[in-house]
Amino acid sequence: MQGTKRRFLIAGNWKMNKTLKETEEFFDMFMSFKKDFGVDVLFCVPFTDLKTALEKTKDSKIKIAAQNCHFEEKGAFTGEISANMLKELGCRYVLLGHSERRQYFNETDLTVNLRLKAALKEGLKAIVCVGETLEQRKDNITDEVIAIQIKTALKDVSKAEIDGVVIAYEPIWAIGTGENATKEQAEDVCKKIRKEIEKLYDSEVAQKTLILYGGSMKPANCEELLKEEDIDGGLIGGASLKSEEFLKIVDVAEKIR
Ligand code: PEP
């Protein structure tokens, strides 16, 4: 499609779901259906499930990510996990700046940038989430909000390091609401994100960077979204909790790119 060489990434975000037992059951089931994929497949799992998820998927191409990491290497940050801790566990990916982290745990563009730099320093690859609220969309300031989120998140991230960064565009009003952005709305913002990256780096970097769409993506709406030129995959919450549903999205993605 569209002559792009970017490989799709279909990523699940389990949020605060699944115990260890449920994680084992999920991967037993998921991998009984499929182990090898024509697209990249990744799951962002709770910290407590990381080790089990990594072990369960070690003979497959499934990638496992943490849902956050702190920006300090160690110290008095009760409840937090460092990038180094993830790395030592064998975890190579981390999700950063999810809107739920911003909304409920006071994370800001600035702390997302600090976390990103800490993750990249440890050699982790990161999925960085950006997205506007419904109010911002209604106020017609989506483009400005996204541009600031991108610029701040990527501040002092070098051209070499950006290779390890995936951007997920997640309009907040579409997350967990069942109401996805239209393909036009999603493509419009993803294209503008690519332009921002081009301004910050260059067009080669912009063309290589993966930009995902997230917000109520499911089997019924994934095809039209994934067919858009600047959408390189999905970050999927609710529909990633059931293997059959998630696999349907993977199947659609495999047929498109
Ligand atoms: C998410 O958790 O990032 C997400 C997009 O959730 P949902 O697919 O449930 O809207």
Side-chain angles (χ1 to χ4, degrees):
M1 76 153 259
Q2 293 100 8
T4 174
K5 296 243 169 21
R6 294 186 298 269
R7 185 176 158 91
F8 269 143
L9 172 61
I10 303 298
N13 175 21
W14 283 359
K15 313 191 190 212
M16 196 174 73
N17 290 293
K18 297 200 188 292
T19 63
L20 274 187
K21 193 162 171 283
E22 288 164 345
T23 300
E24 282 179 5
E25 285 166 1
F26 178 92
F27 284 115
D28 283 342
M29 170 80 92
F30 191 81
M31 286 168 36
S32 73
F33 291 130
K34 207 164 158 130
K35 263 188 175 165
D36 201 4
F37 312 91
V39 296
D40 286 330
V41 171
L42 176 147
F43 290 93
C44 305
V45 307
F47 289 129
T48 48
D49 294 334
L50 279 171
K51 201 160 189 284
T52 300
L54 285 162
E55 272 165 20
K56 278 273 167 198
T57 56
K58 69 176 187 304
D59 296 327
S60 78
K61 291 196 173 153
I62 299 168
K63 301 173 201 308
I64 300 298
Q67 295 177 4
N68 202 3
C69 72
H70 197 259
F71 43 84
E72 295 291 347
E73 277 171 34
K74 58 172 126 169
F77 302 100
T78 304
E80 292 287 332
I81 303 280
S82 74
N84 181 41
M85 290 170 182
L86 296 177
K87 186 178 155 189
E88 201 179 299
L89 201 66
C91 178
R92 295 283 168 266
Y93 299 85
V94 63
L95 182 68
L96 294 172
H98 192 280
S99 65
E100 287 151 16
R101 299 294 319 170
R102 296 173 189 255
Q103 189 179 350
Y104 304 126
F105 303 98
N106 300 325
E107 289 193 24
T108 63
D109 292 339
L110 181 68
T111 60
V112 172
N113 172 250
L114 294 174
R115 287 170 201 264
L116 176 61
K117 286 189 289 190
L120 294 172
K121 194 169 155 222
E122 290 299 336
L124 302 183
K125 290 185 185 292
I127 302 175
V128 176
C129 303
V130 296
E132 81 286 4
T133 62
L134 187 57
E135 202 182 359
Q136 289 164 336
R137 178 159 281 269
K138 284 186 179 155
D139 287 347
N140 265 322
I141 54 168
T142 299
D143 296 354
E144 288 88 337
V145 169
I146 301 291
I148 288 171
Q149 288 178 344
I150 291 286
K151 270 188 220 162
T152 316
L154 298 179
K155 188 168 181 285
D156 300 327
V157 172
S158 72
K159 194 172 160 183
E161 288 173 319
I162 184 85
D163 212 28
V165 180
V166 171
I167 306 292
Y169 167 54
E170 299 213 306
I172 296 170
W173 47 272
I175 299 178
T177 59
E179 189 197 336
N180 60 288
T182 63
K183 60 182 171 40
E184 291 83 8
Q185 288 170 324
E187 169 63 13
D188 176 54
V189 179
C190 290
K191 193 182 271 311
K192 284 174 179 150
I193 291 174
R194 205 174 296 289
K195 273 265 156 250
E196 276 311 316
I197 295 171
E198 184 175 335
K199 279 195 241 160
L200 294 173
Y201 300 91
D202 57 36
S203 72
E204 194 194 340
V205 169
Q207 284 310 313
K208 275 205 319 212
T209 303
L210 290 187
I211 303 174
L212 314 182
Y213 166 78
S216 299
M217 189 183 267
K218 46 186 176 272
N221 63 19
C222 66
E223 183 167 0
E224 56 174 21
L225 288 159
L226 293 174
K227 275 187 168 162
E228 291 297 323
E229 188 174 345
D230 289 285
I231 300 179
D232 304 318
L235 181 56
I236 299 143
S240 72
L241 294 170
K242 292 202 182 105
S243 351
E244 297 89 333
E245 258 194 272
F246 191 74
L247 274 169
K248 278 186 198 155
I249 301 176
V250 172
D251 284 344
V252 169
E254 283 175 332
K255 284 189 190 111
I256 299 174
R257 240 191 247 179

